[in-house]
Amino acid sequence: MDERPIGMFDSGFGGLTVARALIDLLPEENLVYVGDTGRYPYGSRPLDEVRSFADEISRYLIQAHDAKLIIVACNTASAAALAPLQDRLDRPVVGVIDPGVQSLLTVTNTGRIGVIGTVGTIGSGAYQDVVARHRPDVELTCAACPGFVEFVERGETRTDQVRVLAERLLAPVVEAKVDSLLLGCTHYPFLSRTIGEVMGRDVVLVSSADETAFAVRRILAGTDRARRASAPAYHRFLSSGDVRWFERLGRRLLGPELLRAEAWTWPS
Ligand code: DGL
């Protein structure tokens, strides 16, 4: 019986898609979530800067909360920092890229697949590498979608402006006639209605959230790291930006578990 929380982080609201899946799958686990909204977006920053943010937040989650497992609930940070974090930290670290690719490869029929993500994620080549390792025979088209994250952070998930931007940015994956598209940024599921309309009904949209939650369950299952529900679990949400905004928009995006947000300040 391990009461220690699972620690997870993202640049902002995006990782809440993974938090939702985790709370649904493992409702008995305690959770501490850091949304680094004071420094978002990560996707346009150099990868070594994102690596240092990921390092800081993971250390904080371990030192201040004794997190038993860390979820890097951000594709950009997973692309930049997953391997070094797994090397350095003395507890399991789970990213979102491998779980997302596994789901994507399961659903494709034609072998024409797409991945969209931030400039940092797509430019890192992380998805291209993982797909090539598992299925070199598929045809992968990647597209960076700068601007999507900013719309989500402002709470604008269904405006005409998002639609216009989506039509322009998704053109390469539409033209490639993919049959399945991985939302390779944890913010993007909040735009899935618009993305789905632009891609067309036949294209399956895949998110890494559920598969990441399953990966966490596999790690905890049958070990003394799992928590058994003796008392209700706690879910804490911290933000390095505007805490009231995090509370308001976060509750709308995640649901009622986000009652309150707390301030978090990165080390200077
Ligand atoms: N949600 C993040 C990701 O999955 C980061 C987006 C950003 O801050 O640019 O890449």
Side-chain angles (χ1 to χ4, degrees):
M1 173 79 166
D2 191 337
E3 290 288 334
R4 295 177 301 161
I6 292 172
M8 60 193 298
F9 66 94
D10 176 52
S11 65
F13 294 95
L16 294 179
T17 54
V18 184
R20 178 73 269 153
L22 197 80
I23 293 170
D24 290 342
L25 191 70
L26 299 172
E28 67 282 7
E29 290 294 341
N30 295 321
L31 184 72
V32 178
Y33 180 100
V34 174
D36 198 5
T37 38
R39 298 187 291 193
Y40 103 94
Y42 281 5
S44 49
R45 292 180 184 271
L47 288 182
D48 53 356
E49 189 176 26
V50 176
R51 198 170 302 128
S52 74
F53 294 169
D55 198 55
E56 263 169 33
I57 301 172
S58 304
R59 282 178 200 281
Y60 163 77
L61 286 166
I62 291 174
Q63 281 160 15
H65 298 274
D66 196 15
K68 60 184 170 187
L69 178 149
I70 301 289
I71 306 176
V72 184
C74 170
N75 291 262
T76 315
S78 294
L82 184 65
L85 289 176
Q86 286 173 329
D87 280 352
R88 272 203 296 275
L89 302 179
D90 61 351
R91 44 207 91 187
V93 184
V94 177
V96 285
I97 293 180
D98 276 282
V101 169
Q102 268 160 34
S103 298
L104 182 66
L105 294 176
T106 310
V107 301
T108 184
N109 282 318
T110 63
R112 280 192 306 277
I113 57 174
V115 177
I116 53 173
T118 66
V119 170
T121 300
I122 300 302
S124 74
Y127 273 105
Q128 294 87 330
D129 290 348
V130 176
V131 170
R133 200 165 352 110
H134 290 285
R135 284 278 303 274
D137 55 309
V138 297
E139 194 183 305
L140 169 67
T141 304
C142 292
C145 296
F148 275 10
V149 168
E150 286 80 348
F151 275 110
V152 174
E153 291 282 323
R154 289 199 297 270
E156 293 176 39
T157 50
R158 292 225 59 202
T159 60
D160 290 345
Q161 287 90 331
V162 184
R163 169 83 193 212
V164 170
L165 184 65
E167 279 169 4
R168 182 162 62 77
L169 295 175
L170 297 174
V173 279
V174 171
E175 274 156 30
K177 297 195 174 13
V178 300
D179 73 346
S180 42
L181 180 70
L182 176 59
L183 308 180
C185 169
T186 52
H187 282 71
Y188 295 178
F190 294 125
L191 301 176
S192 55
R193 188 83 66 93
T194 303
I195 294 171
E197 281 167 8
V198 172
M199 293 305 298
R201 280 166 164 262
D202 296 339
V203 177
V204 181
L205 301 186
V206 178
S207 132
S208 51
D210 287 337
E211 206 57 47
T212 303
F214 284 124
V216 171
R217 187 170 70 174
R218 275 196 299 277
I219 292 173
L220 297 180
T223 72
D224 51 10
R225 274 208 171 94
R227 175 173 187 265
R228 272 161 279 284
S230 50
Y234 65 78
H235 305 115
R236 291 180 62 181
F237 297 90
L238 286 72
S239 161
S240 59
D242 181 338
V243 174
R244 296 287 81 85
W245 176 242
F246 197 85
E247 222 166 67
R248 259 206 327 277
L249 179 59
R251 190 175 312 133
R252 203 179 99 199
L253 297 173
L254 176 100
E257 290 84 355
L258 208 166
L259 272 180
R260 231 165 50 76
E262 303 161 54
W264 176 72
T265 316
W266 58 83
S268 45

